[in-house]
Amino acid sequence: MSGDELNPAAVAQPVEDVQGDGRWISQHTRFVQECKDAEPDVLFVGDSMVQLMQQYEIWRELFSPLHALNFGIGGDTTCNVLWRLQNGELENIRPKVVVLWVGTNNHEHTAEQVAGGILAIAQLLTSRLPRAKIVVLGLLPRGERPNSLREKNTAVNGLLRSWLPRLGQAQFLDVSGEFVHSDGTISPQHMFDFLHLTATGYRTVAKPLSDLLLQILEETPEERRASLV
């Protein structure tokens, strides 16, 4: 997608403090502070799908041992993540891999705009962290039964599958097909509110993601350089 300046989903902006408690900017400030002390090999960034992952055993089991940082904030859109990364959340850290998972909250944007916003974040990451690999997670289906938001997320994933290979450093991991039954329904065993994941749902995402991260982290520097040529 060209012309990001015309894409509202690729415009960096902070969350408006509607509640008046400064919660979002406080979380961002905490993340910026963490960058001064931590030396992560893996950085997770995104919305509640990222944030809530660390509340489950799967985070401690598979991702904490990889020296992972979790920079997820519930409700974030591509615009909010872009702003956070431009305003200190990449300072002083040099992760080997960044896992990006955002886009399902971009309700005001079209599928093409959302995919363009995700691509803009991936481009920012590759420019700021030229040695890092980027893993973009596909958007999951939502709602108990087929609906327009599901269709939109599927369309976003299709565009990302097409666009991301151009970046070289980016890989796309889509496990969305694991959540929809043959009759088109989603089970509350995987998503307790048909959007956010249960422990079982996170395990479905985490296993292939963990396998991919281990594969990337075990590459030698020579392999990594060769893969970027």
Side-chain angles (χ1 to χ4, degrees):
M1 183 171 182
S2 58
D4 277 345
E5 70 279 355
L6 304 176
N7 179 8
V11 176
Q13 54 188 162
V15 167
E16 185 181 351
D17 186 19
V18 178
Q19 287 83 15
D21 59 7
R23 192 169 66 245
W24 185 85
I25 200 69
S26 296
Q27 286 179 281
H28 164 67
T29 303
R30 178 168 62 83
F31 293 157
V32 173
Q33 186 61 42
E34 280 190 61
C35 289
K36 296 175 181 175
D37 307 316
E39 295 182 0
D41 285 334
V42 182
L43 172 66
F44 283 73
V45 64
D47 53 30
S48 62
M49 307 304 283
V50 170
Q51 181 182 26
L52 296 174
M53 191 185 297
Q54 64 187 338
Q55 295 182 9
Y56 291 90
E57 182 62 33
I58 199 75
W59 178 266
R60 292 180 289 278
E61 182 185 319
L62 295 181
F63 300 123
S64 288
L66 302 182
H67 306 288
L69 271 185
N70 187 310
F71 284 0
I73 298 183
D76 266 15
T77 65
T78 53
C79 306
N80 309 140
V81 169
L82 203 53
W83 189 91
R84 290 199 278 125
L85 295 179
Q86 289 178 358
N87 287 274
E89 290 188 19
L90 295 178
E91 299 296 322
N92 307 307
I93 57 173
R94 291 293 175 267
K96 296 171 183 173
V97 193
V98 181
V99 178
L100 174 63
W101 203 6
V102 70
T104 199
N105 295 319
N106 284 65
H107 304 304
E108 299 175 4
H109 304 132
T110 67
E112 187 175 44
Q113 289 170 339
V114 177
I118 295 168
L119 187 67
I121 298 170
Q123 288 170 326
L124 173 69
L125 289 167
T126 56
S127 65
R128 294 282 184 92
L129 302 169
R131 297 188 173 197
K133 290 284 184 73
I134 317 300
V135 175
V136 177
L137 286 174
L139 303 186
L140 296 185
R142 49 187 296 163
E144 183 179 11
R145 302 182 182 282
N147 61 79
S148 58
L149 286 178
R150 255 201 226 181
E151 292 170 11
K152 181 173 138 183
N153 283 3
T154 299
V156 170
N157 289 345
L159 291 166
L160 291 173
R161 195 173 286 107
S162 168
W163 292 347
L164 282 170
R166 301 177 202 167
L167 289 182
Q169 284 167 254
Q171 298 184 52
F172 185 58
L173 179 62
D174 181 14
V175 296
S176 59
E178 300 294 320
F179 291 89
V180 180
H181 298 304
S182 57
D183 63 355
T185 62
I186 288 174
S187 168
Q189 288 183 318
H190 283 115
M191 295 181 180
F192 59 84
D193 60 356
F194 305 108
L195 171 63
H196 297 98
L197 296 170
T198 62
T200 303
Y202 270 118
R203 196 163 286 277
T204 302
V205 174
K207 185 63 173 72
L209 176 58
S210 170
D211 289 346
L212 178 58
L213 292 178
L214 288 171
Q215 178 188 324
I216 293 171
L217 292 169
E218 285 171 4
E219 283 182 1
T220 65
E222 291 76 21
E223 285 174 328
R224 190 168 293 122
R225 275 196 295 274
S227 69
L228 296 177
V229 171

